[in-house]
Amino acid sequence: MPRNERIDSDLVVVGAGAAGLYSALTAASLGASVTVISATPLAQTASYWAQGGLAAALGADDSPELHLADTERAGRGLVRRSAAEVLVNEAPEMIGRLQEIRMRFDADSSGDLALGLEGGHSRRRIVHAGGSSTGRRLARQLSAALVREPKVTILEGARASNLWTEDGRVVGVVCEDDRAVRARATVIATGGAAALWNRTTNPPGSIGIGIMLARSAGAAVADLEFVQFHPTAVVGVPGREGFLISEAIRGEGATLVGPDGERFVDELAPRDEVAREIWAMLDQHAVESVGLDMTSVDAERFPNINDALMQAGIDPSKELIPVAPAAHYLMGGVVSDLNGATTVAGLYVIGESACSGLHGANRLASNSLSECIVFGARAARSALDEPTVSSGEPPSSVPLQLPSRETREAMWRNAGLVRDRSGLEQLLEDPYPLAALVARCALAREESRGAHWRSDFPSLDSGLDSMHAVISGTDPAFEHWQ
Ligand code: SIN
């Protein structure tokens, strides 16, 4: 499409990870015209990198109620129950929907879905594809289904620069090269912001672009103090820094050992707990890694992890893997209701960019890909009920701001696993606006809960149960969500 060209669609989706692709597919299957804007090639979306699977209560010994209880326990008193109920009730059916578009999940020896276990789950309920290649296979399958849809336009390599608003309503998106898409509704699905932290499991593009786009159109954001640190990312191995070793491997029996070779943590406790125990061990012994022992696990079942480690010179069937926590997932994001609607008319948000309250203070493993599918579908259906929009002229594009290396280092130093007031205050003047917003939320929450650990407020304040730090203007205000 030439510069300055305009496209009219029913829906425009920004981002082509699992949430964006599934939302676009749902809208297209309802007969809508859809434009998908994708800045990066597929292989750089966080979904494509995802090693975990999709959590759904499918086992004979499982139920949505048990899945809900685990989600709430992991979320440490901050899970919005209505959002979690949507997820646990709709996830099992969504697995069936994905199978209908020829997504093949791993099966056990009887041909039934193989259900994996991960931290914080009381039952086996994670479906995988290709072991730890679930995200890659899901992204491929969804893109293959999407390109078969005649009313879908995909703008690959296009970067959304700003939202097009008229009379307080979002009516489309302007790309960096001044191409514009006008639509009844705009869906932000650009992923999270964990790459804003120097040590991360995420692709470099996970810097909160969608969150900033939505905020500049006036949308409220919330819970930005809650970034999840994954316990087991490779450390000290050149070329593999931050490479994720899936929790599914601990689900199959891998253990964590300290410098003395002894186990020190329940490897299948919720992620915030395991990450903090590792952090304490690193601090106590002044070392940079603990050992992940997967010698008892059949590494061939996790081919991409096995291959990556072997290429880096580590044989996981014989050696310990050096691991330490790394920023992995933002629980906060753009405030959204149960259909992905934001506080601005015409604007929706799904996947990691969204904050519906589903994950509370600490996301339960593998709930996120399920969220992408469940809420991606709901947002598409709801967005198509928006009215058709007027025909004014789009604004000019605005240059995108990127975080510097100094910002990313400062985020790791001052908003890492353990933070305090003086460190957080240093982020308030950071030139990357999202860094300062994270600091404002983290300063407002004067307690320790889930992924947010304040050394100067080490206890949980039960007065903040179900209270979410929402920023509509400059400073956060606590709101009670149910
Ligand atoms: C993992 O496989 O450990 C990551 C999956 C997730 O983040 O839920």
Side-chain angles (χ1 to χ4, degrees):
M1 188 171 76
R3 258 181 119 76
N4 296 322
E5 190 163 335
R6 293 252 301 268
I7 294 183
D8 281 305
S9 283
D10 290 313
L11 200 67
V12 55
V13 178
V14 186
L21 292 172
Y22 197 73
S23 199
L25 197 57
T26 304
S29 71
L30 293 169
S33 57
V34 185
T35 301
V36 178
I37 298 176
S38 176
T40 53
L42 265 186
Q44 284 173 27
T45 67
S47 301
Y48 190 90
W49 284 29
Q51 294 180 6
L54 294 102
L58 292 162
D61 62 346
D62 202 1
S63 66
E65 290 71 30
L66 288 172
H67 188 182
L68 177 68
D70 291 345
T71 300
E72 291 194 314
R73 192 165 33 249
R76 311 294 188 197
L78 207 71
V79 167
R80 184 189 202 169
R81 177 165 290 181
S82 53
E85 280 172 345
V86 165
L87 181 89
V88 300
N89 289 327
E90 297 185 15
E93 186 193 329
M94 283 298 160
I95 300 297
R97 293 265 167 84
L98 291 174
Q99 288 171 314
E100 280 166 20
I101 58 158
R102 300 203 282 269
M103 178 70 192
R104 298 223 337 247
F105 293 108
D106 297 344
D108 62 20
S109 52
S110 332
D112 296 325
L113 282 177
L115 299 176
L117 187 64
E118 290 180 2
H121 289 274
S122 60
R123 295 288 186 277
R124 287 192 164 265
R125 65 166 73 96
I126 320 297
V127 294
H128 289 101
S132 42
S133 307
T134 312
R136 181 178 309 188
R137 295 206 180 174
L138 183 61
R140 276 199 193 137
Q141 208 55 37
L142 292 176
S143 352
L146 198 62
V147 294
R148 287 196 292 269
E149 291 290 340
K151 289 168 80 180
V152 170
T153 305
I154 300 179
L155 304 184
E156 247 188 331
R159 198 188 280 273
S161 111
N162 44 322
L163 297 177
W164 177 0
T165 52
E166 278 177 19
D167 302 327
R169 163 175 281 276
V170 172
V171 298
V173 179
V174 178
C175 296
E176 235 181 355
D177 58 9
D178 285 320
R179 293 182 289 179
V181 185
R182 190 178 53 185
R184 282 201 263 162
T186 297
V187 179
I188 299 279
T190 52
L196 204 48
W197 280 256
N198 196 31
R199 186 169 149 68
T200 181
T201 63
N202 279 212
S206 298
I207 50 172
I209 284 175
I211 298 171
M212 297 313 297
L213 282 178
R215 180 163 158 84
S216 60
V221 296
D223 291 351
L224 298 173
E225 68 274 38
F226 293 111
V227 64
Q228 182 167 71
F229 295 90
H230 195 287
T232 55
V234 169
V235 65
V237 177
R240 287 291 166 204
E241 204 54 49
F243 180 74
L244 183 74
I245 309 293
S246 175
E247 202 155 302
I249 288 184
R250 277 177 278 137
E252 295 307 315
T255 54
L256 285 162
V257 295
D260 56 2
E262 295 295 322
R263 285 175 71 185
F264 58 94
V265 63
D266 168 6
E267 288 84 359
L268 289 177
R271 214 168 259 181
D272 55 346
E273 209 174 309
V274 182
R276 222 167 7 255
E277 290 288 334
I278 295 176
W279 194 249
M281 183 60 69
L282 302 181
D283 192 41
Q284 187 187 338
H285 294 274
V287 289
E288 71 162 9
S289 65
V290 295
L292 180 70
D293 181 350
M294 61 177 282
T295 52
S296 65
V297 177
D298 177 7
E300 298 296 331
R301 287 188 50 206
F302 301 96
N304 61 336
I305 292 179
N306 189 46
D307 293 354
L309 291 172
M310 292 298 273
Q311 278 164 22
I314 299 171
D315 181 348
S317 68
K318 299 197 178 87
E319 297 167 77
L320 292 180
I321 307 156
V323 293
H328 180 61
Y329 187 91
L330 188 66
M331 271 76 73
V334 183
V335 172
S336 67
D337 72 7
L338 303 185
N339 292 315
T342 68
T343 53
V344 176
L347 183 64
Y348 289 72
V349 61
I350 50 176
E352 197 177 340
S353 312
C355 180
S356 66
L358 162 63
H359 304 302
N362 176 50
R363 175 179 60 92
L364 184 65
S366 285
N367 265 359
S368 45
L369 275 182
S370 303
E371 175 195 17
C372 288
I373 304 303
V374 167
F375 286 85
R378 291 174 76 90
R381 287 194 296 264
S382 185
L384 293 179
D385 284 339
E386 296 285 342
T388 24
V389 289
S390 71
S391 55
E393 283 304 304
S396 304
S397 61
V398 177
L400 275 176
Q401 194 182 347
L402 300 174
S404 64
R405 185 166 54 82
E406 288 72 27
T407 292
R408 294 171 54 246
E409 286 171 358
M411 289 297 281
W412 182 254
R413 208 171 40 247
N414 298 319
L417 272 96
V418 180
R419 351 30 223 266
D420 64 14
R421 169 168 296 282
S422 69
L424 290 166
E425 279 176 348
Q426 289 176 43
L427 293 170
L428 291 176
E429 302 304 322
D430 194 279
Y432 194 65
L434 189 53
L437 290 175
V438 169
R440 275 192 227 145
C441 287
L443 281 164
R445 187 170 289 281
E446 294 185 330
E447 64 159 353
S448 289
R449 178 190 297 268
H452 170 71
W453 202 264
R454 291 267 310 246
S455 57
D456 46 352
F457 292 95
S459 306
L460 183 142
D461 174 0
S462 57
L464 291 177
D465 285 355
S466 298
M467 300 295 279
H468 299 261
V470 179
I471 306 187
S472 300
T474 313
D475 289 316
F478 282 103
E479 283 181 12
H480 186 264
W481 292 357
Q482 287 174 321

